Amino acid sequence: MNRWLEYGVSRREFLKQLGWLGLSGSTFFGYAQAARQSEQIKNASAQPASRIVIVQKPGVVRAATEERYASVQRMLDTAMVRLTGAANTQQAWRSLFTSDDIVGIKLNCLAGKALSSRPEVIQAITTRLREIGIPGRHIILWERSNRELNAAGYPINRDGNDIRCYGTDDKRAGYGKQVIAGSVISRLSKIVTNHCTALINVPILKDHNIAGVTASMKNWYGAIHNPNKYHSNHGDPFIADLSTIPMIRNKMRLIVCDALRALYEGGPSYHPGGVWAYNGLLVGTDPVALDQTAGLIIEERRREAGIPSLEAAGRPPRYIATATQRGLGTNDPARMEVVKIGI
Amino acid sequence: MSASTRREFFKWLAAGSFSLKFAHHTLAETSPSPLHEAMHYERTEGKTIVCQLEPRQCEVNDGERGFCGARENRGGTYYSLVYAQACAVYAERMEDRGFYHAFPGRQALAIGTAGCNLQCQYCETEQISQSRPEDVEAEFLLPEQVVERAQAENCEVILFTYSEPTVFFEYMLDTARAAKKAGLGTAAHTAGYIHPGPLKEVCAYLDAINLDLKGFSDDFYQTICGVWGNQPKLEAVQKAIVAAAETGTHLEITHLIVPEHNDNPQETRQLCEWLYTTLGRDTPLHLSRFYPNYLLATSHATPRQSMDSARAIAHEVGLRYVYLQNMNRYEDTRCANCGDLLVERKRAHIQCTGIKDGQCKQCGEAIRGVWGL
Amino acid sequence: MSWTRRDFLQWGACLAGSCLAGGALAAPVYRGKENPTRTIEGLPRQQEVLYTPAQYGRGVGPNVQCVLCPKYCIIPEGKAGWCRVRVNRERKLQSTVYAQPCSIALHPMEQGPIFHAYPGARCLAIAAAGCNLRCKYCQNWQMSQFGAEDTLNYYLEPAEAVQLAIRNNCQVLAFTYTEPVVYAEYVMDVALEGKQYGLKSVLITAGFVDPEPMRDLCEVFDVVRVDLKGFREDFYEKVAKGRLQPVLDAIEVVHSTDAWLEIVDPIVPRFNDKSEEIRDMAQWILDHLGDGVPVHFLRFFPAYKMRNFPRTPDSTLERVRDAALETGLKFVYLGNMPGHEGENTFCPRCNRMLIHRIGYLQVEESHIKDGACAFCGEPIPGRWDI
């Protein structure tokens, strides 16, 4: 008992984890084990583990609008507090952002209205950012193009006084100087290079017909002018190389992966047959650990649905292991701490 | 000119100038720029397509582009974004663009568009080949207009080169067809990273083709040319060379020698032996000097010793027409049989005096090439 | 009166020309009586820049690449390369300084410094604007660090240049002060024209050239004097914005041809004066070029962007010379040190003084007979007869 308390896991959460373990079978047995192992490692070397918090609330996507917004807010708050170990929500956000930051929120609007970063999540994030003193005009919601943002239901607001929202192709932005990402030369969105001081990555948990899984690292394809050069060899090592660009790596403070409705087959564009309501958010700061977790969730769902695993479908997300080699994070279960919270 | 085509033409023209004026990153998405449906692709599930033009076989999702950046999937239809968008149009000598046995000394109208399906680290035209169509200035030139331009500039040949003709395949095909109709010569200089089917299709309208054999190992194609993973590499180019040879189009081979990457004698020998057995001893081979560019900008130009020894190896293997390129001067062509001067190349003027009806005037040896229109 | 930048530079160049005799070459200290360095006046001026097609260019896509020097500039339309005088005009590589030199002077061979070729011969020294390096201690930056638009130019066709040399009793045509390689077409044409009249030609270059053009130049020139400004890559990068390896390659090319080679190294205290570096350099020369190549170490004078550095002390130069001699080089000279024994040529066998020089301008006595020591018969490499 004391041991659990020592590492910041309450008894209730522990019991909940055990409950989830019973419910969802083998995969999360692995996670629980990983969490325990990670604590052992912590004991040994005092090395901080990469913590990923999964918050789920069954039925949230089917709830009425108001209730849905409120639930998502609560999910995010729970996750943030758990992720940072802070005493309350404000402290949690203050530990990652200051009121001087100009925060760019990278959405994922590729799949249109049906499966883009949901307004509930964005609302939840921006509410908390405002609370810690970041004015609305210092929050930028962005994507590759205005067209995609519009299609996903985000109206363009390039210089209003409230939250900004525009694509890199907007006349306000554009692509800046060349950077080298591994073996490819790209031009980085000026939103990343010039407009923001901090980035929040809000991807969608999706299957990807080329890369296997698209979650946090793959979402940066929307920050460069030539993503077509990165699709060879199932995105390996290009996806990892992209995240090594210092401008992206240093500015990215938080990942909130929207998995309220996720896609396990037929991605990355909207594919009605492959969508399921996971009713969850994945929150973390380590992109590799988050993608690894996301990958396991998709694999799990594919197994339940009785379709071949990503490996068998010929597109295992190898780039995740490459990203570990590049030092972007870890996909080693022993060094990851996956906390699963149900509300 | 009929009313409908005229109207169409103006529409295209307006679109072209619009896109020039607002060279913008999503030109293709926001402006009604001329779209031309691409050839050689297949639809798979949903709106994803698979490009069947070249061995990379890009799987392209809706709204995305292939590796070349010049072809885009819109709602399950694959479009060429560079059709009639020539970003380099210049009159040049055939010799300057790597042809020694095709139309010697003649002026060619050389054209190229943005995009390339390789990503060679030493690319010298990276400003256009590694750029997207909306990022470079382009001139709107329909195939017929290219022919008109060639005639206006006294060019006897239309040459597809600069970036990579494969990515503007549809444009090349239509232009070559129009050029043949107008009685002009046609030629293309390509890296040969293309499927045999489409290559044969265009070879029917080409008098001469210069194919790059950039290295003779998969490793070179992977590390230097950017062909990753399990995509076919050297083998694909070899297939293309064999296919081109089968069509009967005059074929020349270019091999760029990059120090420390493909200049070891063993690799050169294997390459020459393969050429000898596959294409015969009379196919002209251009050994090209490398200059540091692009990602290899910090390395050194190929030293003369490497160039000379590579040529010696090629001669040893039995190849009879081996030229050094990028050495600041042209080389003469001499009959491999009797040594008589066939084409004299001086800086200012090039004379083809020793050939009649494709034969050496002196000894009657058949000289492979395209010597007249 | 409004002063444009061009006016100012022209005025400056005139002033420098008249005060320092022909654009301030490493400030000659002694003025020889018989062979004074002087500028030639009264030549036709060229107001507008003329463009002349240049060699060593190749079309790459919409641009032109100049492959003359290891910068291998890819030049967009209307722009100039790194050297400022080779431009892309109508997608052709063109030179802005062909037949448009900005300085024409007379001086003796020794001022090169070139000690083993045509001693005491009179040179017509021609220089045009432009350089492909950015040496921070450049002594001629008024010419080398500007393009043809900013300098005051003459108009001098190759044939006229040769006639001018003959009129002034010159035996040698020299290209110096700036980087003659960046106007390679002009210097080759002048040298070839001079050959028909029996004039010798000298190229004084920093050697930052692609080996192929260097080979072409060596076929034309009788003497090529190359700078080897240091023997460390980072020195070349920091002080000259160049690279060392291409210079070494170019020197080897010169050595492999018939042209006579001498090497010059300006010694800048704290930058390239370490004995270890000098020994490495001497060893490289010994291994690749042999012991007969004359090597000159020059005193550095504060100039251009290194005005606040002290001039090289005598002791440093003597130490450097000793290091090179110890390594096994036979002919090591010191420059900008008039009256020093390091200016004289000694026989490597009998150690007698063969050529006695004072400053760059005076050859006092010479004991070289048929290319050999007059005392012991040891052959002395060089070009001793015109």
Side-chain angles (χ1 to χ4, degrees), chain B residues 87-88 90-92 97 123-125 127-128 162 289 291-293 297-305 326-329 347, chain C residues 55-63 65 67 70-72 74 77 91-92 210-213 215-216 219 233 243 245-246 249:
Chain B
C87 60
Y90 297 103
E92 294 205 58
R97 300 257 58 96
C123 187
E124 59 190 31
T125 55
Q127 290 100 331
I128 57 172
Y162 294 133
R289 187 173 184 227
Y291 290 112
N293 284 322
T298 52
S299 46
H300 297 288
T302 319
R304 169 168 282 234
Q305 298 90 299
N326 288 353
M327 301 292 279
N328 303 321
R329 50 174 59 78
R347 206 176 291 283
Chain C
Q55 296 167 34
Y56 308 111
R58 52 198 289 265
V60 290
N63 307 322
Q65 180 170 30
V67 295
K71 294 276 180 195
Y72 302 115
I74 291 183
E77 176 69 42
R91 199 167 168 274
K92 292 230 160 29
D210 183 81
E212 293 307 309
R215 208 179 305 261
D216 296 346
E219 277 171 21
E233 282 286 358
R243 281 183 290 142
Q245 191 56 46
D249 293 346

Side-chain angles (χ1 to χ4, degrees), chain A:
Chain A
M1 187 61 224
N2 279 342
R3 222 191 90 206
W4 286 104
L5 280 175
E6 220 179 291
Y7 297 109
V9 178
S10 72
R11 187 178 166 215
R12 200 163 121 209
E13 269 179 33
F14 173 63
L15 287 173
K16 238 182 232 163
Q17 276 189 1
L18 282 183
W20 277 106
L21 191 86
L23 279 175
S24 57
S26 56
T27 313
F28 293 114
F29 179 67
Y31 283 142
Q33 218 175 17
R36 217 168 299 149
Q37 276 173 356
S38 78
E39 267 155 35
Q40 280 159 10
I41 283 178
K42 257 200 210 167
N43 267 346
S45 62
Q47 204 180 15
S50 288
R51 188 179 290 171
I52 301 296
V53 184
I54 305 173
V55 200
Q56 275 182 305
K57 180 173 165 58
V60 64
V61 289
R62 295 204 178 278
T65 312
E66 241 167 77
E67 193 193 331
R68 200 166 66 230
Y69 272 81
S71 301
V72 170
Q73 185 75 64
R74 233 175 77 217
M75 287 164 72
L76 183 70
D77 292 348
T78 316
M80 285 301 291
V81 168
R82 188 63 192 81
L83 176 74
T84 55
N88 58 38
T89 325
Q90 278 209 10
Q91 266 187 28
W93 285 92
R94 284 230 167 86
S95 68
L96 294 172
F97 301 91
T98 69
S99 54
D100 298 334
D101 274 325
I102 299 173
V103 183
I105 302 178
K106 169 69 175 76
L107 311 180
N108 187 315
C109 301
L110 179 73
K113 215 162 202 164
L115 201 63
S116 292
S117 305
R118 293 172 75 103
E120 296 92 312
V121 182
I122 305 304
Q123 168 85 23
I125 294 172
T126 52
T127 306
R128 293 301 174 232
L129 286 176
R130 284 173 200 256
E131 269 177 23
I132 63 164
I134 299 175
R137 66 196 151 81
H138 284 176
I139 300 171
I140 304 167
L141 312 180
W142 63 280
E143 239 295 7
R144 214 158 43 154
S145 65
N146 284 346
R147 195 188 52 137
E148 281 176 313
L149 284 167
N150 274 329
Y154 292 96
I156 303 306
N157 174 27
R158 61 176 67 88
D159 18 49
N161 213 15
D162 206 4
I163 295 176
R164 308 273 164 93
C165 177
Y166 49 86
T168 304
D169 69 331
D170 192 272
K171 63 184 178 193
R172 200 171 192 285
Y175 291 95
K177 272 191 179 167
Q178 293 187 331
V179 290
I180 297 183
S183 57
V184 189
I185 290 188
S186 284
R187 289 159 62 204
L188 211 55
S189 169
K190 282 187 186 161
I191 301 175
V192 175
T193 56
N194 300 4
H195 298 189
C196 307
T197 60
L199 289 167
I200 302 178
N201 192 358
V202 188
I204 296 276
L205 175 57
K206 281 192 295 189
D207 163 74
H208 194 281
N209 60 353
I210 294 162
V213 175
T214 162
S216 72
M217 284 191 283
K218 176 79 175 52
N219 199 25
W220 294 122
Y221 273 37
I224 44 169
H225 85 297
N226 57 349
N228 55 319
K229 302 269 177 193
Y230 289 77
H231 276 112
S232 306
N233 199 29
H234 302 296
D236 180 31
F238 307 104
I239 297 176
D241 284 344
L242 186 55
S243 291
T244 61
I245 295 174
M247 202 64 94
I248 289 180
R249 197 176 168 181
N250 300 340
K251 285 190 178 178
M252 204 216 43
R253 308 254 179 95
L254 178 68
I255 307 159
V256 181
C257 178
D258 175 356
L260 297 171
R261 271 151 64 87
L263 189 69
Y264 65 91
E265 172 65 14
S269 46
Y270 180 59
H271 182 68
V275 179
W276 94 103
Y278 183 73
N279 292 315
L281 294 178
L282 279 64
V283 183
T285 52
D286 177 345
V288 187
L290 193 126
D291 284 4
Q292 175 76 6
T293 314
L296 291 175
I297 292 171
I298 284 182
E299 288 283 28
E300 170 73 18
R301 175 66 197 176
R302 288 175 76 91
R303 199 171 319 131
E304 279 171 17
I307 57 173
S309 67
L310 292 172
E311 180 84 53
R315 46 189 161 96
R318 288 209 191 88
Y319 67 87
I320 297 176
T322 309
T324 308
Q325 287 167 18
R326 298 276 195 277
L328 294 168
T330 180
N331 68 341
D332 177 6
R335 291 180 52 210
M336 283 162 55
E337 181 194 351
V338 180
V339 183
K340 211 158 176 327
I341 305 170
I343 293 177

Side-chain angles (χ1 to χ4, degrees), chain B residues 173-192:
Chain B
L173 194 65
D174 289 356
T175 310
R177 211 177 271 151
K180 281 282 114 198
K181 211 183 273 174
L184 295 175
T186 50
H189 190 154
T190 159

